[in-house]
Amino acid sequence: MKTTTMKMAILAIVILLWTSSAFSQAPTKVDMTGKGAPIYVSSRDSVKNDPAPSIPFAFGDFTWVNGNDRRHNALLDTKYVTGRVLVDANASYSNQNPIDHTVIGSTTLAQDNVLELNCVAIGGDFHDDNVRGSILLQLGTRSTVVPRNDNSGFHGQYDLQDAYRYFSEANAGYHFNVWHGINIDAGLFMSYIGLFSYYNAENWCYQPSFTSDNTPWFFNGVRIQTFPTDKLKIEYWIINGWQSYAMFNNVPGFGFQILWRPVESFQILSNGYYGHDDQDLPGRYRVHSDNSAEYRYFNQPNNSFISRAAFSLTYDIGWEQGDGANGFHTKDSANAAQFFISGMIYNRLWFGKKQHIGLTLGGGWINNPGRYLVLAPTGQASPLPTTTAVATPNGTVMQSMTEGLDPFQESPGLGFYGWDCTAALDWMPSDYFTFEVQIDNRHSDVPYFAGPGGVTSPDGYVTTPVLTTLPNGSVVPIPGWAPDLVKQETRVTLSWLIRF
């Protein structure tokens, strides 16, 4: 039933996009450079698609920005609908070569040594005068990997993870002609905490550092975007919580974003958040600050060798306080430190007169005592509910468990420190296609990444028992196997990305 409903929804959007394209006026283009080149304004920054001088950020070409749409034209742009189609596939190999092909510590990768369809998304942005809306449906491993990190769906009934997982964006609202625009939207919308975009086609490299991967990709609630000038956006959020479909307690989360682009070559992005995001701990609150700067320090587009260069710098700091968590200091065994400090830096070079080749070098680090933002391992190392095969006298049965056989521990005071470095080479023959080769080296001070033994079972299959039933009826682990976590992994990833 769920598959049939998803197919019908995708078919409806395809028909809507086709009919809009067939019976509406030609696509509207916006000149963001002032040089006569038609530039598409990204939906996350734009107010409307009308070519008016007051459109925010229309004074420059920001396709160089990490985490921003790099297309110069929207091929599916029509009078009422700006369609979007994305295909994101990868193949990666880790030096650990886990037997169950499972990747841990990533929201971009799910399987090792396998051709993986990470995300296939279809939908668009709908606009008629001042009424606006966005719907983007998604299939692929990301529709499982990202929702599994949200425990709020276990609060009450109706399986919210399944209800929402096939939407990456679903919101609607109204545009007010005040200042350079005010937008009020409600629903599911993207988060840009951690700089990188949820859509890999917009990023300088495929697998981001800890700072981006361990912070929210989406919010569910109300977003108010204000544009006091064409160079400044101030955005406010009233949301269910920190990347959560539902609400953990009885208080919503609150946040903001400030995006300032004084000139075409520089931007500052700052996000802030406050909320209560821990199950059964209403007295514990979370504070988070995310801050990035990006600077294009070289721009000679007619050069045949290096034609453009830019860097990004991101620094995050946050903490949790109350109900056993004590921010940056451990007071006693009942009030331990629980904070998050991380950073990342990337440098990007573009080559040739058409910038068809890109090279990115960078990396980052994370210090997260309490581990409250560490991506939880999966399988039998998961601290989250999982399904486990149990051997019984009548055969193997699949049993739901509240956590894995040997769960990764998460509680105030438990340390986690990690760092990574990366190199990524991109081939971009057009605005709509990217092929990338990326090499990552990641480390942690505690066993965390998937080792050769994997985290699923002795042979890597979820249907192979890891628990057995004794004659007296008690259930115990099968001797000789445990989930295998290690402190280091080196990974090579090939990815190909299409976006229309």
Side-chain angles (χ1 to χ4, degrees):
M1 182 63 181
K2 293 175 184 176
T3 302
T4 302
T5 303
M6 186 63 180
K7 290 180 179 177
M8 292 177 64
I10 292 176
L11 180 61
I13 288 182
V14 170
I15 293 173
L16 183 57
L17 292 175
W18 179 81
T19 54
S20 177
S21 176
F23 298 107
S24 65
Q25 65 185 27
T28 299
K29 304 296 192 303
V30 178
D31 182 3
M32 289 172 57
T33 65
K35 301 175 183 177
I39 305 296
Y40 171 63
V41 180
S42 171
S43 61
R44 72 168 181 170
D45 292 336
S46 65
V47 178
K48 300 177 69 178
N49 286 330
D50 301 329
S54 63
I55 292 180
F57 312 122
F59 65 88
D61 178 1
F62 295 97
T63 56
W64 64 270
V65 170
N66 189 13
N68 199 58
D69 192 346
R70 71 177 185 85
R71 298 174 300 162
H72 291 79
N73 296 307
L75 294 181
L76 304 178
D77 194 14
T78 70
K79 181 178 180 180
Y80 298 111
V81 182
T82 303
R84 286 189 280 166
V85 177
L86 298 96
V87 179
D88 175 346
N90 68 70
S92 73
Y93 181 80
S94 164
N95 65 317
Q96 301 294 341
N97 193 22
I99 192 173
D100 59 355
H101 296 172
T102 298
V103 177
I104 288 176
S106 174
T107 60
T108 296
L109 301 167
Q111 293 213 300
D112 177 79
N113 200 22
V114 170
L115 178 61
E116 174 189 341
L117 197 56
N118 179 43
C119 182
V120 177
I122 183 170
D125 304 308
F126 302 82
H127 36 80
D128 180 28
D129 292 329
N130 289 45
V131 180
R132 43 186 270 133
S134 296
I135 298 177
L136 204 63
L137 303 178
Q138 65 174 358
L139 293 170
T141 54
R142 209 157 212 202
S143 63
T144 295
V145 171
V146 172
R148 75 167 289 270
N149 296 302
D150 173 22
N151 286 341
S152 71
F154 300 116
H155 194 182
Q157 301 297 315
Y158 303 117
D159 197 351
L160 294 183
Q161 286 189 352
D162 272 349
Y164 288 126
R165 71 171 67 250
Y166 300 115
F167 293 98
S168 61
E169 296 178 56
N171 58 75
Y174 196 82
H175 166 75
F176 296 88
N177 297 315
V178 179
W179 292 336
H180 289 252
I182 294 177
N183 302 322
I184 301 179
D185 306 303
L188 284 172
F189 53 91
M190 292 288 95
S191 156
Y192 288 89
I193 294 180
L195 184 62
F196 276 62
S197 169
Y198 181 80
Y199 306 116
N200 289 312
E202 299 182 346
N203 299 327
W204 288 355
C205 59
Y206 195 77
Q207 171 62 56
S209 185
F210 291 101
T211 303
S212 182
D213 231 357
N214 293 42
T215 49
W217 289 121
F218 69 86
F219 291 133
N220 190 5
V222 176
R223 174 183 63 187
I224 303 171
Q225 296 177 319
T226 68
F227 298 85
T229 77
D230 66 342
K231 299 178 180 180
L232 176 65
K233 177 179 72 170
I234 303 176
E235 183 173 301
Y236 308 92
W237 315 321
I238 305 173
I239 51 182
N240 285 342
W242 178 274
Q243 187 171 281
S244 61
Y245 292 132
M247 196 179 297
F248 281 99
N249 297 290
N250 296 319
V251 179
F254 301 92
F256 67 86
Q257 180 187 97
I258 299 173
L259 175 62
W260 182 46
R261 292 172 171 169
V263 293
E264 184 184 284
S265 60
F266 179 72
Q267 79 162 31
I268 290 178
L269 178 69
S270 182
N271 298 282
Y273 175 81
Y274 171 88
H276 296 254
D277 297 282
D278 293 275
Q279 179 181 337
D280 300 323
L281 297 170
R284 181 181 298 178
Y285 62 86
R286 177 178 302 174
V287 177
H288 195 93
S289 176
D290 164 71
N291 307 279
S292 294
E294 297 191 65
Y295 179 53
R296 189 188 64 199
Y297 58 88
F298 183 80
N299 189 40
Q300 297 293 330
N302 292 322
N303 281 6
S304 57
F305 186 48
I306 296 177
S307 54
R308 181 180 294 169
F311 74 84
S312 69
L313 177 65
T314 301
Y315 180 76
D316 279 36
I317 185 169
W319 70 91
E320 290 198 332
Q321 187 81 34
D323 286 347
N326 197 53
F328 294 96
H329 306 284
T330 294
K331 183 178 180 180
D332 51 47
S333 59
N335 294 276
Q338 183 130 311
F339 64 86
F340 182 91
I341 298 177
S342 71
M344 58 185 186
I345 185 170
Y346 292 93
N347 190 76
R348 171 80 160 186
L349 302 177
W350 289 262
F351 298 88
K353 294 182 179 181
K354 294 185 178 181
Q355 294 84 49
H356 285 174
I357 302 295
L359 174 65
T360 302
L361 302 175
W365 57 276
I366 176 178
N367 185 17
N368 187 202
R371 306 178 182 177
Y372 65 100
L373 293 187
V374 175
L375 294 174
T378 188
Q380 296 306 319
S382 175
L384 308 174
T386 187
T387 301
T388 300
V390 182
T392 73
N394 298 319
T396 300
V397 299
M398 304 303 295
Q399 184 172 329
S400 296
M401 312 287 287
T402 57
E403 59 185 14
L405 180 66
D406 187 12
F408 184 79
Q409 297 299 311
E410 299 175 318
S411 62
L414 291 178
F416 184 91
Y417 184 88
W419 64 271
D420 62 80
C421 57
T422 191
L425 181 65
D426 290 3
W427 176 53
M428 303 165 288
S430 78
D431 283 357
Y432 313 105
F433 177 78
T434 301
F435 175 77
E436 181 179 286
V437 180
Q438 182 177 6
I439 301 176
D440 272 308
N441 187 15
R442 304 199 292 172
H443 295 257
S444 62
D445 65 341
V446 296
Y448 177 65
F449 306 103
V455 293
T456 303
S457 70
D459 65 356
Y461 286 85
V462 295
T463 52
T464 298
V466 295
L467 296 173
T468 187
T469 305
L470 299 179
N472 63 5
S474 60
V475 178
V476 298
I478 291 178
W481 185 86
D484 183 15
L485 298 181
V486 296
K487 296 182 179 181
Q488 182 274 339
E489 75 167 15
T490 299
R491 180 177 300 279
V492 178
T493 301
L494 308 180
S495 60
W496 38 115
L497 307 161
I498 297 173
R499 176 172 185 174
F500 298 115

